[in-house]
Amino acid sequence: MQTITRLEMLRNAVGVLRTNGKTLALVPTMGALHEGHLTLVREARRRADHVCVSIFVNPTQFAPNEDLDAYPRQMAEDTAMLEAEEVSLLWAPAVTEMYPGGFATSITVAGISDNFCGASRPGHFDGVASVVCKLFNQVQPDIACFGEKDWQQLAVIRRMARDLDLTLPKPEAIAGIPTVREADGLAMSSRNRYLSPADRQNAASLPQAMQVAIARITTGADVAATLAALESSLLGSGFNSVDYAGLADADSLAPLDSLGTRPARLLVAARIGGTRLIDNMPVIAARGMS
Ligand code: PAF
């Protein structure tokens, strides 16, 4: 595996990998890799001849009050994990390489970015869309793999790729890979390591409470009442606060107050012991319901 930190060297290395029509998949990450990321890497390897992983803790997607400085950084461990997965290229630019002096451009994907994480983290999706567009232009991959755990992020990136007529990757080559979960159902996340042992135990009540809510909604229970009960259940099982618990159209992320015929998603963000956890799951209407 080649580790590259300068853009001009990245271009050369990508050119070499691409000789003889070989395909390239990109897995964008912020490092602090775990099994969820490695699943993305394995899926990327299945779909392309070569895999490039980017590690860049992107400052523009963190608000001033968020955990940018504390965000876990473990380059040596990450590098070893990616070597073991036979990744061809690790793209790890410094902040000054990604955002040289005078940098002034930002992408806003309106509407789809407005609710849920967009409302509780203003500016977050502008930072994500802008850096992912740059990563796509820098690496020019045939395909890109993202975790479905960040469902709204994936929807924002797909919308951005369609709206800006991106070709590498094509919008349809932006793959969403299902969330990898711990044995008790907690979605894997780099932020899980912040949890104390007691909070880690209580955190499993998030996916459990979501499954209860989904069972209720799909059998016709009132959505607003079910979401309120979900919030109370989280507050009763060790969570300090709930940023949002909402039902949304799976593609447009438009909030829904009832289940229709289109695919829907339950999305939750909640805080436990100072750590913000997010999760989402599909909600499919039971047969016979409208
Ligand atoms: O999901 C992440 O790790 C980040 O938001 C991403 C897509 C790498 C952009 O910085």
Side-chain angles (χ1 to χ4, degrees), residues 28-30 56 58 61 124 128 131-132 135 146 150 153 157:
T29 81
M30 297 203 301
F56 180 66
N58 175 35
Q61 68 188 74
H124 170 68
V128 169
V131 81
V132 170
L135 289 166
F146 293 88
D150 296 289
Q153 165 172 284
I157 290 166

Side-chain angles (χ1 to χ4, degrees), residues 59-88:
T60 68
Q61 68 188 74
F62 290 78
N65 61 333
E66 291 183 348
D67 58 346
L68 172 63
D69 292 338
Y71 198 83
R73 287 160 173 90
Q74 47 167 58
M75 205 45 143
E77 290 95 316
D78 289 351
T79 303
M81 281 190 235
L82 297 176
E83 294 267 12
E85 297 295 333
E86 293 172 30
V87 165
S88 300

Side-chain angles (χ1 to χ4, degrees), residues 15 19 29 36 40 55 64 73 77-78 83 140-141 148 153 159 198 210 220-221 240 244-245 281:
T19 49
T29 81
L40 299 182
I55 295 185
R73 287 160 173 90
E77 290 95 316
D78 289 351
E83 294 267 12
Q140 306 205 331
E148 286 187 351
Q153 165 172 284
R159 182 78 261 163
M210 289 174 71
N240 316 111
Y244 61 79
M281 293 178 187

Side-chain angles (χ1 to χ4, degrees), residues 95-150:
V95 173
T96 47
E97 185 75 1
M98 188 63 93
Y99 300 116
F103 187 88
T105 302
S106 175
I107 297 173
T108 296
V109 187
I112 202 164
S113 297
D114 293 347
N115 297 303
F116 307 110
C117 280
S120 47
R121 303 183 69 188
H124 170 68
F125 287 121
D126 293 2
V128 169
S130 306
V131 81
V132 170
C133 189
K134 279 174 69 70
L135 289 166
F136 284 175
N137 285 330
Q138 291 164 346
V139 179
Q140 306 205 331
D142 299 284
I143 69 164
C145 295
F146 293 88
E148 286 187 351
K149 169 161 171 286
D150 296 289

Side-chain angles (χ1 to χ4, degrees), residues 178-247:
T179 303
V180 181
R181 294 180 182 279
E182 303 284 358
D184 61 3
L186 181 66
M188 287 198 187
S189 164
S190 304
R191 290 187 170 97
N192 290 352
R193 69 191 68 192
Y194 299 151
L195 299 168
S196 69
D199 288 340
R200 169 63 192 83
Q201 217 176 341
N202 287 335
S205 60
L206 174 58
Q208 287 154 12
M210 289 174 71
Q211 265 157 355
V212 169
I214 290 170
R216 287 187 185 146
I217 291 171
T218 53
T219 50
D222 178 72
V223 169
T226 305
L227 294 176
L230 167 56
E231 287 197 27
S232 312
S233 144
L234 291 176
L235 296 175
S237 43
F239 280 81
N240 316 111
S241 61
V242 179
D243 278 6
Y244 61 79
L247 186 69

